[in-house]
Amino acid sequence: MSSPHLKAIIFDIGGVVLHSPFIAIDEIESEKGLPRNYLNVSIASRGPGGAWERFERGELSLFPFYDEFGRDLSDTENGNKWYTEYCARKKIDLPALPMMLDIDGREVFGRMMRQTTAYDCHILRAIHRIRASGRWLIIALTNNYSKHITGSSSSMPLTAARPPIRAPDSELRFLGWEDGAKFHLRALFDDFCDSSELGMRKPDPEFYLLACQRNDIRPGEAVFLDDIGMNLKAARVLGMETIHVPIGGTLDAVKQLEGKLGIDLTSDLDHDNTTSAKL
């Protein structure tokens, strides 16, 4: 069913426009013999005080983040407790848990970033066609970390204790950002709301509301695409329409968006039905 009242499409970046960095986490868990989602649960359970969320809010610079991230992921005392609670909530059998871990935060983050060096072709095609129509705003709303990696900003940070420092070229190469192409993705959007620059992150309702205020729209005039359920739930509470984008499900998500907008976003698919393109 089309939604003629819509004025904007709001896209998450990692896991929607770009490949999900959490694919790398799944691979690392498998390589280390950890239960599925063990590291993801550890990251999420630390909440606002953990290295991951602090980095996404721009409160940690890159190299201190590596150290704190590694310590967080290596903390089996809390990790095992949180994973036990996770299994109880999910009503799944509790597997064997690690006695100790030594996780290199830089290596994990590097693998996550290198995983995101490709666009999803279905989403990219949709963005280009929406742009060509000239009928809707195209907005990015992303939990990101560019403030302390690129040293540049499209927005005035709301909580900047000190100016950001650009990472060395050698570190950009390690992260897969050596050609600067990742920065070009901002040109796809009318506005790019980056958590590390604005000092707030999803699912904080104020982050969504700020994106709306910056673009002179009401939440009910936007449709939001994200791969994480809690982020979508927060958007729905505010009145946004939402589309879930699971790993491997971008084409179905674009078809849902096509129905809401009433324009063609999916015809002329590549013959090999590829789902990615390098940045």
Side-chain angles (χ1 to χ4, degrees), residues 16 24 33 44 76 120 165 181 187 210 232 267 277:
V16 178
T76 54
D120 182 276
I165 300 173
L210 179 60
L232 294 166
S267 66

Side-chain angles (χ1 to χ4, degrees), residues 213-234:
Q213 292 164 7
R214 284 161 55 115
N215 291 281
D216 196 27
I217 61 170
R218 297 189 300 273
E221 295 172 326
V223 56
F224 174 55
L225 292 85
D226 201 291
D227 59 325
I228 297 177
M230 70 175 68
N231 296 341
L232 294 166
K233 180 179 179 180

Side-chain angles (χ1 to χ4, degrees), residues 42-98:
S42 179
I43 292 169
S45 297
R46 287 199 175 269
W52 184 259
E53 292 196 17
R54 291 173 62 207
F55 190 49
E56 289 188 329
R57 293 194 304 268
E59 297 168 5
L60 278 177
S61 56
L62 182 62
F63 292 102
F65 163 71
Y66 287 158
D67 293 338
E68 293 200 24
F69 191 43
R71 286 195 293 272
D72 283 357
L73 294 180
S74 301
D75 176 9
T76 54
E77 180 178 355
N78 282 308
N80 290 352
K81 178 185 72 174
W82 291 326
Y83 196 77
T84 299
E85 294 168 352
Y86 164 80
C87 289
R89 287 195 307 273
K90 295 290 185 178
K91 295 182 171 55
I92 57 178
D93 292 337
L94 181 67
L97 300 178

